[in-house]
Amino acid sequence: FKNAIDLGCNNGYGFKKYGNPFVDSHIVLVDFASGCIREAKRLFKKKSNIDYINLDLVKPWPKLGRFELVCLCQVIQHMPNLEDAETVFEKASKLLARDGRMLFSHYGTQKKAPVEGEFSNGLFYRRCSLDRLEGLIHANRLEIVRFKEVGKDYNFILKNND
């Protein structure tokens, strides 16, 4: 990949494990928590190809450009409500370059949607069924290239066909 963005990068360790494919790539790491951004900067202090952005994904985004890889892993379940989660997913989808890929994972998705309005600890994932996620993916004109269920996690690799 020529460039990549990790939305909700936390401390950067998740992105670091991918390692070698990104040696010559321009990387953008984004997180809401300034402490996580500081930790990521320490982790990658010898890397000059990485930019860091402290950003609340629910608020308006600056112009970020287009990316061959967009990572949105374990993020949308932290959104305060379903509408914000869907908006973040849609905005992340628009960052994809033509034929770009999105690495998307979601924790705790239930196969059956619970009663509308039901929350557990205020987290979005308790309200989102796998069917709803797939509908969101297709509504944003993405193609599921690979899907894997690992424990309670749902992992997608999505392709932009726009």
Side-chain angles (χ1 to χ4, degrees):
F1 297 101
K2 180 175 68 175
N3 58 16
I5 188 167
D6 188 353
L7 300 166
C9 68
N10 198 304
N11 55 19
Y13 284 101
F15 202 83
K16 184 178 182 182
K17 73 180 178 183
Y18 299 113
N20 287 340
F22 303 102
V23 171
D24 296 322
S25 303
H26 175 244
I27 309 299
V28 179
L29 299 178
V30 179
D31 203 275
F32 171 73
S34 56
C36 288
I37 293 294
R38 277 193 305 277
E39 182 63 27
K41 285 179 179 180
R42 277 194 290 273
L43 182 65
F44 297 111
K45 65 183 170 193
K46 295 180 181 177
K47 303 286 185 187
S48 61
N49 62 327
I50 301 176
D51 291 324
Y52 305 89
I53 300 174
N54 187 211
L55 176 66
D56 182 345
L57 296 176
V58 175
K59 295 186 177 169
W61 295 10
K63 187 169 175 91
L64 297 169
R66 297 277 194 162
F67 297 86
E68 291 181 356
L69 177 66
V70 173
C71 297
L72 188 63
C73 297
Q74 307 298 330
V75 172
I76 66 169
Q77 67 263 25
H78 297 291
M79 298 297 111
N81 57 59
L82 185 61
E83 293 74 26
D84 286 341
E86 289 179 346
T87 298
V88 167
F89 187 91
E90 182 179 330
K91 290 193 311 190
S93 300
K94 290 179 180 176
L95 296 177
L96 284 168
R98 179 154 178 76
D99 293 325
R101 299 288 196 270
M102 180 187 289
L103 178 59
F104 173 72
S105 65
H106 185 57
Y107 174 76
T109 307
Q110 299 176 2
K111 289 188 185 277
K112 293 182 181 175
V115 176
E116 191 66 28
E118 179 181 332
F119 278 89
S120 175
N121 298 325
L123 297 178
F124 162 68
Y125 67 82
R126 296 291 184 207
R127 296 187 64 199
C128 189
S129 68
L130 184 56
D131 289 341
R132 188 168 199 144
L133 277 178
E134 288 179 309
L136 188 58
I137 289 165
H138 294 299
N140 286 283
R141 299 201 316 250
L142 300 176
E143 171 189 348
I144 298 173
V145 176
R146 192 165 64 215
F147 167 74
K148 185 174 184 181
E149 185 176 346
V150 181
K152 292 183 178 181
D153 290 358
Y154 291 94
N155 299 282
F156 296 87
I157 295 180
L158 308 171
K159 179 182 175 192
N160 179 20
N161 290 324
D162 200 14

